[in-house]
Amino acid sequence: MTHFSHKAGILHAEDVAVPTIADAVGTPFYCYSSATMLARYHAYTKALAGLRATVYYAVKANSNLAVIRTFAGAGAGADVVSVGEMQRSLAAGIPADKIVFAGVGKTREELAAALKAGIHQINIESEAELRALSDVAQAIGAKATAGLRVNPDVDARTHAKITTGRKENKFGIDLDEAPRMFTLAASLPGVSMTSLSVHIGSQLTDISPYRDAYARLRDITLELRAAGHRIDHLDLGGGLGIAYDAETPPNLEAYAAIVREQVGDLDCALSFEPGRYLVGDAGILVTRVVYVKQGGEKRFVIADAAMNDLIRPTLYEAYHEIVTVAEANSAASATLGSCDLVGPICESGDYLAKDCALPVVAEGDLLAIRSAGAYGAVMSSTYNSRPLIPEVLVNAGGFAVIRRRQSVEEAMDLEQIPDWLGDPAEPERG
Ligand code: LLP
Protein backbone atom coordinates (compact mmCIF):
# COMPACT_ATOMS: atom_id res chain seq x y z
CA MET A 1 0.00 0.00 0.00
CA THR A 2 1.33 3.38 -0.96
CA HIS A 3 -0.16 6.85 -0.87
CA PHE A 4 0.16 7.55 -4.59
CA SER A 5 -3.12 6.93 -6.37
CA HIS A 6 -5.38 8.43 -9.00
CA LYS A 7 -8.28 10.45 -7.68
CA ALA A 8 -10.75 11.78 -10.23
CA GLY A 9 -8.30 10.74 -12.92
CA ILE A 10 -5.30 12.64 -11.54
CA LEU A 11 -2.37 11.11 -9.66
CA HIS A 12 -2.20 12.33 -6.08
CA ALA A 13 0.49 12.06 -3.47
CA GLU A 14 -1.63 11.65 -0.35
CA ASP A 15 -4.14 14.50 -0.79
CA VAL A 16 -2.04 16.66 -3.08
CA ALA A 17 -2.52 16.55 -6.84
CA VAL A 18 0.84 15.91 -8.50
CA PRO A 19 0.29 18.63 -11.18
CA THR A 20 -0.05 21.19 -8.37
CA ILE A 21 3.46 20.34 -7.24
CA ALA A 22 4.74 20.35 -10.81
CA ASP A 23 3.34 23.86 -11.28
CA ALA A 24 5.07 24.99 -8.11
CA VAL A 25 8.53 23.48 -8.58
CA GLY A 26 8.81 22.64 -12.27
CA THR A 27 9.89 19.24 -13.59
CA PRO A 28 11.53 16.86 -13.05
CA PHE A 29 11.26 16.40 -9.29
CA TYR A 30 11.16 13.70 -6.65
CA CYS A 31 8.04 13.52 -4.53
CA TYR A 32 7.83 11.59 -1.26
CA SER A 33 4.89 10.59 0.90
CA SER A 34 5.31 10.97 4.67
CA ALA A 35 2.40 8.62 5.27
CA THR A 36 3.95 5.78 3.24
CA MET A 37 7.28 6.16 5.02
CA LEU A 38 5.68 6.12 8.45
CA ALA A 39 3.35 3.25 7.58
CA ARG A 40 6.33 1.17 6.47
CA TYR A 41 8.31 2.07 9.57
CA HIS A 42 5.46 1.20 11.91
CA ALA A 43 4.80 -2.06 10.06
CA TYR A 44 8.46 -2.97 10.46
CA THR A 45 8.58 -2.27 14.18
CA LYS A 46 5.23 -3.99 14.72
CA ALA A 47 6.43 -7.18 13.03
CA LEU A 48 9.41 -7.24 15.39
CA ALA A 49 7.31 -6.70 18.51
CA GLY A 50 8.42 -8.77 21.44
CA LEU A 51 12.03 -8.90 20.30
CA ARG A 52 14.57 -6.52 21.82
CA ALA A 53 14.81 -4.75 18.49
CA THR A 54 15.97 -1.32 17.32
CA VAL A 55 15.41 -0.14 13.76
CA TYR A 56 18.24 1.92 12.31
CA TYR A 57 17.08 3.56 9.10
CA ALA A 58 19.72 2.95 6.38
CA VAL A 59 20.33 6.57 5.46
CA LYS A 60 22.06 5.64 2.19
CA ALA A 61 18.67 4.87 0.65
CA ASN A 62 17.53 8.49 0.95
CA SER A 63 19.55 10.94 2.97
CA ASN A 64 17.43 14.05 2.62
CA LEU A 65 17.31 15.77 6.03
CA ALA A 66 13.52 15.86 6.05
CA VAL A 67 13.32 12.13 5.30
CA ILE A 68 15.75 11.32 8.11
CA ARG A 69 13.80 13.70 10.34
CA THR A 70 10.58 11.83 9.56
CA PHE A 71 12.12 8.62 10.86
CA ALA A 72 13.79 10.36 13.79
CA GLY A 73 10.36 11.61 14.85
CA ALA A 74 9.05 8.05 14.73
CA GLY A 75 11.85 6.85 17.00
CA ALA A 76 14.24 5.29 14.50
CA GLY A 77 18.00 5.25 14.76
CA ALA A 78 20.28 5.67 11.74
CA ASP A 79 22.66 3.31 9.95
CA VAL A 80 25.32 5.45 8.27
CA VAL A 81 28.24 4.68 5.98
CA SER A 82 30.09 7.98 5.97
CA VAL A 83 30.73 10.97 8.17
CA GLY A 84 28.49 12.90 5.79
CA GLU A 85 25.58 10.59 6.56
CA MET A 86 26.41 10.80 10.26
CA GLN A 87 26.33 14.59 10.16
CA ARG A 88 23.03 14.54 8.30
CA SER A 89 21.54 12.15 10.85
CA LEU A 90 22.68 14.28 13.77
CA ALA A 91 21.40 17.42 12.04
CA ALA A 92 18.04 15.73 11.50
CA GLY A 93 17.76 14.96 15.21
CA ILE A 94 18.81 11.31 15.47
CA PRO A 95 20.52 11.04 18.85
CA ALA A 96 24.21 10.07 18.59
CA ASP A 97 23.61 6.96 20.67
CA LYS A 98 21.15 5.72 18.03
CA ILE A 99 23.65 5.83 15.15
CA VAL A 100 25.62 2.86 13.84
CA PHE A 101 28.47 3.33 11.39
CA ALA A 102 29.21 0.63 8.76
CA GLY A 103 31.34 0.37 5.63
CA VAL A 104 34.55 -1.25 4.48
CA GLY A 105 36.74 1.82 4.13
CA LYS A 106 36.21 4.06 7.12
CA THR A 107 39.28 6.28 7.42
CA ARG A 108 40.99 7.09 10.71
CA GLU A 109 39.59 10.59 10.43
CA GLU A 110 36.09 9.22 10.04
CA LEU A 111 36.55 6.83 12.96
CA ALA A 112 37.75 9.71 15.12
CA ALA A 113 34.80 11.88 14.11
CA ALA A 114 32.39 9.06 14.95
CA LEU A 115 33.99 8.48 18.34
CA LYS A 116 33.96 12.18 19.16
CA ALA A 117 30.28 12.37 18.23
CA GLY A 118 29.66 9.50 20.66
CA ILE A 119 27.75 7.23 18.30
CA HIS A 120 26.37 3.91 19.45
CA GLN A 121 28.50 1.45 17.50
CA ILE A 122 31.06 1.07 14.75
CA ASN A 123 30.90 -2.08 12.65
CA ILE A 124 34.34 -3.34 11.72
CA GLU A 125 35.05 -5.12 8.45
CA SER A 126 38.74 -6.02 8.63
CA GLU A 127 41.57 -6.71 11.05
CA ALA A 128 43.34 -3.55 9.89
CA GLU A 129 40.26 -1.49 10.65
CA LEU A 130 39.89 -3.08 14.10
CA ARG A 131 43.46 -2.12 14.95
CA ALA A 132 42.98 1.38 13.54
CA LEU A 133 39.82 1.86 15.60
CA SER A 134 41.61 0.84 18.78
CA ASP A 135 44.50 3.23 18.00
CA VAL A 136 42.21 6.13 17.22
CA ALA A 137 40.08 5.52 20.31
CA GLN A 138 43.12 5.32 22.55
CA ALA A 139 44.52 8.54 21.11
CA ILE A 140 41.39 10.42 22.07
CA GLY A 141 40.93 8.64 25.38
CA ALA A 142 37.79 6.77 24.33
CA LYS A 143 36.76 3.15 24.27
CA ALA A 144 35.01 2.26 21.02
CA THR A 145 31.97 0.00 20.97
CA ALA A 146 32.61 -2.20 17.97
CA GLY A 147 30.71 -4.88 16.14
CA LEU A 148 32.21 -7.42 13.77
CA ARG A 149 30.60 -7.72 10.37
CA VAL A 150 30.85 -11.29 9.25
CA ASN A 151 30.47 -12.54 5.73
CA PRO A 152 28.23 -15.62 5.93
CA ASP A 153 28.90 -16.67 2.33
CA VAL A 154 25.29 -17.01 1.28
CA ASP A 155 23.85 -16.06 -2.05
CA ALA A 156 21.19 -13.39 -1.60
CA ARG A 157 19.84 -14.15 -5.10
CA THR A 158 19.61 -10.52 -6.03
CA HIS A 159 21.37 -8.39 -8.64
CA ALA A 160 25.13 -9.06 -8.70
CA LYS A 161 25.95 -5.43 -7.95
CA ILE A 162 23.90 -5.39 -4.75
CA THR A 163 24.74 -8.77 -3.27
CA THR A 164 27.16 -8.45 -0.38
CA GLY A 165 27.29 -11.72 1.54
CA ARG A 166 29.33 -13.95 -0.76
CA LYS A 167 32.97 -14.80 -0.12
CA GLU A 168 33.96 -12.96 -3.28
CA ASN A 169 32.32 -9.73 -2.07
CA LYS A 170 34.45 -7.14 -0.29
CA PHE A 171 32.23 -7.04 2.78
CA GLY A 172 32.77 -8.46 6.25
CA ILE A 173 35.11 -11.07 7.61
CA ASP A 174 35.02 -14.78 6.88
CA LEU A 175 33.15 -16.64 9.58
CA ASP A 176 36.15 -18.82 10.36
CA GLU A 177 38.20 -15.68 11.08
CA ALA A 178 35.71 -14.41 13.66
CA PRO A 179 37.17 -16.19 16.74
CA ARG A 180 40.63 -14.79 16.03
CA MET A 181 39.15 -11.28 15.61
CA PHE A 182 37.37 -11.48 18.96
CA THR A 183 40.54 -12.70 20.67
CA LEU A 184 42.42 -9.83 19.07
CA ALA A 185 39.75 -7.31 20.11
CA ALA A 186 39.98 -8.51 23.70
CA SER A 187 43.68 -7.67 23.65
CA LEU A 188 43.24 -4.18 22.20
CA PRO A 189 42.87 -1.37 24.71
CA GLY A 190 40.67 0.95 22.65
CA VAL A 191 37.78 -1.35 21.72
CA SER A 192 35.01 -3.31 23.32
CA MET A 193 33.50 -5.80 20.89
CA THR A 194 30.43 -7.79 21.91
CA SER A 195 28.41 -7.58 18.73
CA LEU A 196 28.15 -9.38 15.39
CA SER A 197 26.60 -8.00 12.25
CA VAL A 198 25.54 -9.37 8.91
CA HIS A 199 24.05 -7.85 5.77
CA ILE A 200 23.83 -10.09 2.75
CA GLY A 201 22.46 -7.81 0.09
CA SER A 202 19.67 -5.55 -1.02
CA GLN A 203 16.32 -6.10 -2.74
CA LEU A 204 15.99 -9.66 -1.44
CA THR A 205 12.86 -11.27 -2.75
CA ASP A 206 13.48 -14.71 -1.32
CA ILE A 207 13.41 -15.57 2.37
CA SER A 208 15.80 -18.51 2.35
CA PRO A 209 19.06 -16.51 2.14
CA TYR A 210 18.02 -14.78 5.35
CA ARG A 211 17.39 -18.13 7.00
CA ASP A 212 20.80 -19.40 5.93
CA ALA A 213 22.64 -16.22 6.97
CA TYR A 214 20.95 -15.97 10.35
CA ALA A 215 21.53 -19.68 11.00
CA ARG A 216 25.23 -19.12 10.41
CA LEU A 217 25.15 -16.08 12.66
CA ARG A 218 23.55 -18.20 15.33
CA ASP A 219 26.21 -20.90 14.99
CA ILE A 220 29.08 -18.43 15.20
CA THR A 221 27.47 -16.70 18.20
CA LEU A 222 27.31 -20.00 20.06
CA GLU A 223 30.84 -20.90 19.01
CA LEU A 224 32.22 -17.55 20.18
CA ARG A 225 30.38 -17.81 23.47
CA ALA A 226 31.74 -21.30 24.00
CA ALA A 227 35.21 -19.84 23.51
CA GLY A 228 34.51 -17.37 26.32
CA HIS A 229 33.56 -14.27 24.32
CA ARG A 230 30.62 -12.14 25.27
CA ILE A 231 28.11 -11.62 22.45
CA ASP A 232 25.11 -9.61 23.53
CA HIS A 233 24.12 -7.85 20.35
CA LEU A 234 23.30 -8.95 16.80
CA ASP A 235 22.86 -6.60 13.87
CA LEU A 236 20.78 -8.35 11.23
CA GLY A 237 21.18 -5.81 8.42
CA GLY A 238 18.57 -4.69 5.92
CA GLY A 239 17.79 -5.78 2.42
CA LEU A 240 14.12 -6.70 2.43
CA GLY A 241 12.90 -6.24 -1.14
CA ILE A 242 9.91 -4.36 -2.47
CA ALA A 243 7.67 -5.13 -5.47
CA TYR A 244 8.92 -3.01 -8.34
CA ASP A 245 7.22 -5.32 -10.79
CA ALA A 246 5.84 -8.81 -10.29
CA GLU A 247 8.26 -9.77 -7.53
CA THR A 248 6.76 -11.22 -4.38
CA PRO A 249 9.17 -10.28 -1.64
CA PRO A 250 8.72 -12.00 1.70
CA ASN A 251 6.28 -10.19 3.91
CA LEU A 252 7.43 -8.72 7.19
CA GLU A 253 5.76 -11.41 9.27
CA ALA A 254 7.62 -14.13 7.37
CA TYR A 255 10.86 -12.23 7.82
CA ALA A 256 10.24 -11.69 11.53
CA ALA A 257 9.41 -15.38 11.92
CA ILE A 258 12.83 -16.27 10.49
CA VAL A 259 14.45 -13.86 12.93
CA ARG A 260 12.62 -15.41 15.88
CA GLU A 261 13.33 -18.95 14.69
CA GLN A 262 17.05 -18.42 14.17
CA VAL A 263 18.19 -15.90 16.77
CA GLY A 264 15.16 -15.17 18.96
CA ASP A 265 16.39 -17.27 21.89
CA LEU A 266 19.98 -16.01 22.00
CA ASP A 267 19.21 -13.27 24.52
CA CYS A 268 20.73 -10.62 22.31
CA ALA A 269 19.64 -7.10 21.56
CA LEU A 270 18.82 -7.00 17.85
CA SER A 271 19.41 -4.24 15.30
CA PHE A 272 17.86 -3.92 11.86
CA GLU A 273 18.95 -1.63 9.03
CA PRO A 274 16.17 -1.34 6.47
CA GLY A 275 16.48 1.30 3.79
CA ARG A 276 14.60 0.44 0.62
CA TYR A 277 11.69 -1.15 2.46
CA LEU A 278 11.01 2.10 4.31
CA VAL A 279 11.41 4.61 1.49
CA GLY A 280 11.39 2.81 -1.87
CA ASP A 281 7.64 2.87 -2.45
CA ALA A 282 7.33 6.23 -0.69
CA GLY A 283 8.75 8.15 -3.63
CA ILE A 284 8.01 8.90 -7.26
CA LEU A 285 10.03 10.75 -9.86
CA VAL A 286 7.82 13.10 -11.81
CA THR A 287 8.88 14.02 -15.32
CA ARG A 288 7.34 15.81 -18.28
CA VAL A 289 7.26 14.52 -21.83
CA VAL A 290 9.40 16.72 -24.05
CA TYR A 291 8.87 14.95 -27.37
CA VAL A 292 7.45 11.73 -28.73
CA LYS A 293 9.43 10.22 -31.56
CA GLN A 294 8.51 7.28 -33.70
CA GLY A 295 11.79 5.50 -34.48
CA GLY A 296 12.20 2.87 -37.19
CA GLU A 297 11.55 0.06 -34.75
CA LYS A 298 9.91 1.62 -31.75
CA ARG A 299 8.36 4.62 -30.12
CA PHE A 300 10.58 6.79 -27.96
CA VAL A 301 9.05 8.98 -25.32
CA ILE A 302 11.64 11.62 -24.49
CA ALA A 303 11.23 13.04 -21.01
CA ASP A 304 12.98 15.76 -19.07
CA ALA A 305 14.29 13.32 -16.42
CA ALA A 306 17.31 11.22 -17.27
CA MET A 307 19.81 8.66 -16.03
CA ASN A 308 21.55 11.36 -14.01
CA ASP A 309 18.36 11.77 -11.98
CA LEU A 310 17.60 8.04 -11.64
CA ILE A 311 20.50 5.72 -12.49
CA ARG A 312 18.91 2.44 -11.38
CA PRO A 313 17.54 1.33 -14.79
CA THR A 314 20.90 1.95 -16.43
CA LEU A 315 23.07 0.58 -13.65
CA TYR A 316 21.10 -2.45 -12.53
CA GLU A 317 18.68 -3.01 -15.42
CA ALA A 318 16.13 -2.12 -12.77
CA TYR A 319 12.45 -1.95 -13.63
CA HIS A 320 10.37 0.97 -12.40
CA GLU A 321 6.70 1.17 -13.26
CA ILE A 322 5.71 4.27 -15.24
CA VAL A 323 2.23 5.76 -14.95
CA THR A 324 0.67 8.79 -16.52
CA VAL A 325 -0.28 11.48 -14.03
CA ALA A 326 -3.56 12.05 -15.86
CA GLU A 327 -5.21 8.66 -15.97
CA ALA A 328 -4.93 7.20 -19.42
CA ASN A 329 -7.75 6.26 -21.70
CA SER A 330 -7.14 2.52 -21.88
CA ALA A 331 -9.23 2.00 -25.02
CA ALA A 332 -7.12 4.50 -26.96
CA SER A 333 -3.95 2.91 -25.62
CA ALA A 334 -4.78 -0.67 -26.39
CA THR A 335 -3.31 -0.67 -29.87
CA LEU A 336 -0.02 1.00 -29.04
CA GLY A 337 3.11 -1.07 -29.00
CA SER A 338 5.75 -0.81 -26.35
CA CYS A 339 8.09 2.15 -26.10
CA ASP A 340 11.26 3.31 -24.41
CA LEU A 341 11.12 6.18 -21.97
CA VAL A 342 14.39 8.01 -22.42
CA GLY A 343 16.02 11.20 -21.23
CA PRO A 344 18.00 13.90 -23.02
CA ILE A 345 21.47 12.61 -22.03
CA CYS A 346 23.86 11.77 -24.83
CA GLU A 347 24.14 8.04 -24.20
CA SER A 348 22.09 5.10 -25.38
CA GLY A 349 22.18 3.90 -21.78
CA ASP A 350 20.05 6.87 -20.85
CA TYR A 351 16.67 5.30 -20.33
CA LEU A 352 14.18 5.15 -17.50
CA ALA A 353 12.18 2.29 -18.94
CA LYS A 354 12.69 -0.08 -21.83
CA ASP A 355 9.91 -1.69 -23.80
CA CYS A 356 7.25 -0.43 -21.48
CA ALA A 357 3.57 -0.29 -22.31
CA LEU A 358 3.01 3.43 -22.02
CA PRO A 359 -0.34 4.69 -23.21
CA VAL A 360 -0.78 7.56 -25.64
CA VAL A 361 1.27 10.44 -24.38
CA ALA A 362 1.87 13.83 -25.88
CA GLU A 363 4.30 16.66 -25.36
CA GLY A 364 3.77 18.30 -22.01
CA ASP A 365 2.18 15.26 -20.32
CA LEU A 366 3.36 14.38 -16.84
CA LEU A 367 4.61 10.90 -16.03
CA ALA A 368 5.42 9.35 -12.67
CA ILE A 369 8.15 6.80 -12.21
CA ARG A 370 7.18 4.70 -9.25
CA SER A 371 9.17 3.20 -6.40
CA ALA A 372 11.86 5.84 -6.77
CA GLY A 373 12.15 6.83 -3.12
CA ALA A 374 15.17 4.60 -2.42
CA TYR A 375 18.50 4.98 -4.21
CA GLY A 376 17.00 7.61 -6.49
CA ALA A 377 17.91 11.17 -5.52
CA VAL A 378 20.91 9.96 -3.51
CA MET A 379 22.51 8.37 -6.57
CA SER A 380 21.85 11.29 -8.88
CA SER A 381 24.60 13.31 -10.50
CA THR A 382 24.98 16.46 -12.53
CA TYR A 383 26.18 14.61 -15.65
CA ASN A 384 25.71 16.69 -18.81
CA SER A 385 25.66 19.70 -16.45
CA ARG A 386 22.12 18.95 -15.46
CA PRO A 387 21.51 20.52 -12.05
CA LEU A 388 20.24 18.37 -9.16
CA ILE A 389 16.46 18.31 -9.15
CA PRO A 390 14.08 19.27 -6.32
CA GLU A 391 12.76 16.91 -3.71
CA VAL A 392 9.29 17.51 -2.31
CA LEU A 393 7.75 15.98 0.81
CA VAL A 394 4.00 15.62 1.01
CA ASN A 395 2.17 15.39 4.30
CA ALA A 396 -1.60 14.87 3.99
CA GLY A 397 -2.88 17.95 2.12
CA GLY A 398 0.34 19.95 2.28
CA PHE A 399 3.75 19.75 0.71
CA ALA A 400 7.16 21.32 1.17
CA VAL A 401 10.23 21.59 -1.00
CA ILE A 402 12.86 19.70 0.98
CA ARG A 403 15.64 20.26 -1.53
CA ARG A 404 15.40 23.08 -3.99
CA ARG A 405 16.55 22.82 -7.57
CA GLN A 406 20.25 23.50 -7.94
CA SER A 407 21.24 26.21 -10.38
CA VAL A 408 23.99 25.82 -12.95
CA GLU A 409 25.72 28.78 -11.29
CA GLU A 410 25.78 26.93 -7.98
CA ALA A 411 27.35 23.90 -9.63
CA MET A 412 29.95 26.09 -11.35
CA ASP A 413 30.72 27.89 -8.10
CA LEU A 414 32.77 24.90 -6.95
CA GLU A 415 35.11 25.29 -9.89
CA GLN A 416 37.85 27.76 -10.65
CA ILE A 417 39.88 28.63 -13.73
CA PRO A 418 43.57 28.99 -12.79
CA ASP A 419 45.21 32.35 -13.57
CA TRP A 420 47.50 30.90 -16.21
CA LEU A 421 44.50 30.03 -18.39
CA GLY A 422 43.56 33.70 -18.62
CA ASP A 423 40.38 35.51 -17.71
CA PRO A 424 37.47 34.18 -19.79
CA ALA A 425 36.06 37.72 -19.74
CA GLU A 426 39.10 38.80 -21.77
CA PRO A 427 38.89 36.51 -24.78
CA GLU A 428 42.02 37.86 -26.50
CA ARG A 429 44.19 36.29 -23.74
CA GLY A 430 42.21 33.04 -23.61
N1 LLP B 1 22.93 -2.25 5.81
C1 LLP B 1 24.05 -2.31 5.06
C2 LLP B 1 25.31 -2.69 5.67
C3 LLP B 1 23.97 -2.01 3.67
O1 LLP B 1 25.06 -2.10 2.92
C4 LLP B 1 22.72 -1.67 3.09
C5 LLP B 1 22.60 -1.35 1.67
C6 LLP B 1 21.59 -1.60 3.94
C7 LLP B 1 21.75 -1.92 5.29
C8 LLP B 1 20.23 -1.21 3.42
O2 LLP B 1 19.79 -2.11 2.48
P1 LLP B 1 18.28 -2.01 1.95
O3 LLP B 1 17.35 -2.33 3.10
O4 LLP B 1 18.06 -0.64 1.46
O5 LLP B 1 18.20 -3.02 0.88
N2 LLP B 1 21.95 1.24 -4.88
C9 LLP B 1 21.38 -0.09 -4.85
C10 LLP B 1 21.27 -0.64 -3.45
C11 LLP B 1 22.55 -0.63 -2.68
C12 LLP B 1 22.42 -1.14 -1.28
C13 LLP B 1 23.64 -0.88 -0.48
N3 LLP B 1 23.59 -1.34 0.88
C14 LLP B 1 20.05 -0.06 -5.59
O6 LLP B 1 19.65 0.98 -6.11
O7 LLP B 1 19.39 -1.08 -5.69
Side-chain angles (χ1 to χ4, degrees):
M1 145 92 187
T2 75
H3 295 80
F4 298 99
S5 59
H6 286 90
K7 295 177 192 169
I10 298 294
L11 185 66
H12 281 60
E14 303 190 22
D15 298 330
V16 181
V18 169
T20 306
I21 308 175
D23 288 346
V25 304
T27 54
F29 64 93
Y30 277 99
C31 173
Y32 309 129
S33 158
S34 306
T36 305
M37 287 193 263
L38 289 172
R40 290 293 171 92
Y41 177 77
H42 291 310
Y44 210 98
T45 53
K46 189 171 161 222
L48 300 170
L51 293 165
R52 266 197 295 144
T54 308
V55 175
Y56 296 86
Y57 166 54
V59 169
K60 61 176 79 70
N62 187 323
S63 57
N64 186 288
L65 290 173
V67 171
I68 305 175
R69 178 81 194 139
T70 301
F71 291 116
D79 159 42
V80 304
V81 290
S82 68
V83 164
E85 286 188 355
M86 180 184 82
Q87 286 175 341
R88 283 175 173 274
S89 302
L90 291 169
I94 303 258
D97 65 1
K98 283 173 104 173
I99 297 180
V100 293
F101 193 179
V104 289
K106 300 184 279 304
T107 64
R108 285 171 183 258
E109 291 72 25
E110 286 185 301
L111 295 172
L115 290 172
K116 285 181 188 151
I119 70 165
H120 171 60
Q121 182 167 311
I122 299 177
N123 286 336
I124 288 303
E125 302 219 13
S126 64
E127 177 178 340
E129 192 189 14
L130 179 59
R131 291 181 186 276
L133 179 63
S134 179
D135 287 353
V136 171
Q138 240 195 326
I140 60 173
K143 185 118 177 159
T145 306
L148 183 72
R149 178 165 176 184
V150 290
N151 183 326
D153 195 26
V154 300
D155 184 355
R157 296 184 207 152
T158 183
H159 191 279
K161 286 189 180 128
I162 53 175
T163 189
T164 52
R166 298 300 306 271
K167 270 206 160 118
E168 65 262 32
N169 301 138
K170 68 181 176 182
F171 298 98
I173 281 185
D174 283 1
L175 283 174
D176 43 17
E177 283 282 291
R180 193 175 67 76
M181 294 292 288
F182 273 86
T183 305
L184 173 63
S187 74
L188 295 173
V191 293
S192 157
M193 194 160 85
T194 62
S195 169
L196 286 165
S197 84
V198 69
H199 171 80
I200 53 174
S202 196
Q203 183 54 15
L204 268 73
T205 51
D206 191 351
I207 197 90
S208 59
Y210 278 122
R211 184 182 287 111
D212 295 348
Y214 295 168
R216 287 178 193 185
L217 196 63
R218 173 192 184 79
D219 291 347
I220 192 70
T221 301
L222 297 175
E223 187 186 328
L224 289 165
R225 282 180 174 169
H229 299 291
R230 195 177 112 209
I231 305 292
D232 55 19
H233 191 142
L234 298 177
D235 178 337
L236 301 180
L240 203 57
I242 60 173
Y244 287 97
D245 190 5
E247 306 94 327
T248 48
N251 67 28
L252 277 173
E253 285 63 35
Y255 173 71
I258 293 286
V259 171
R260 287 196 175 82
E261 166 194 308
Q262 296 301 328
V263 300
D265 62 347
L266 291 178
D267 193 24
C268 280
L270 302 178
S271 300
F272 297 84
E273 303 167 348
R276 189 190 316 264
Y277 185 82
L278 301 184
V279 291
D281 287 327
I284 56 174
L285 170 60
V286 180
T287 180
R288 203 178 279 285
V289 175
V290 184
Y291 298 114
V292 179
K293 163 169 155 175
Q294 188 60 54
E297 304 251 296
K298 56 165 82 161
R299 193 166 53 113
F300 292 98
V301 174
I302 303 166
D304 61 3
M307 65 187 272
N308 71 302
D309 304 309
L310 179 68
I311 191 82
R312 301 194 72 258
T314 307
L315 194 56
Y316 313 118
E317 296 85 36
Y319 170 86
H320 286 259
E321 186 188 356
I322 317 286
V323 294
T324 52
V325 168
E327 211 155 29
N329 175 341
S330 48
S333 310
T335 54
L336 283 174
S338 67
C339 71
D340 285 2
L341 177 64
V342 302
I345 283 190
C346 298
E347 291 204 23
S348 297
D350 177 26
Y351 57 85
L352 298 164
K354 267 215 180 296
D355 301 319
C356 66
L358 261 188
V360 182
V361 286
E363 288 180 31
D365 284 359
L366 290 172
L367 302 174
I369 298 157
R370 282 194 186 270
S371 305
Y375 308 107
V378 283
M379 293 181 76
S380 59
S381 77
T382 57
Y383 185 38
N384 277 202
S385 287
R386 291 166 48 84
L388 296 176
I389 64 176
E391 293 173 274
V392 171
L393 181 63
V394 171
N395 184 26
F399 70 91
V401 176
I402 56 171
R403 182 178 74 185
R404 62 180 170 76
R405 192 181 302 281
Q406 188 187 35
S407 69
V408 176
E409 289 72 22
E410 279 171 314
M412 287 196 296
D413 260 357
L414 293 172
E415 301 168 26
Q416 210 170 350
I417 297 175
D419 289 347
W420 74 79
L421 291 175
D423 184 347
E426 294 171 27
E428 70 278 6
R429 287 188 54 213

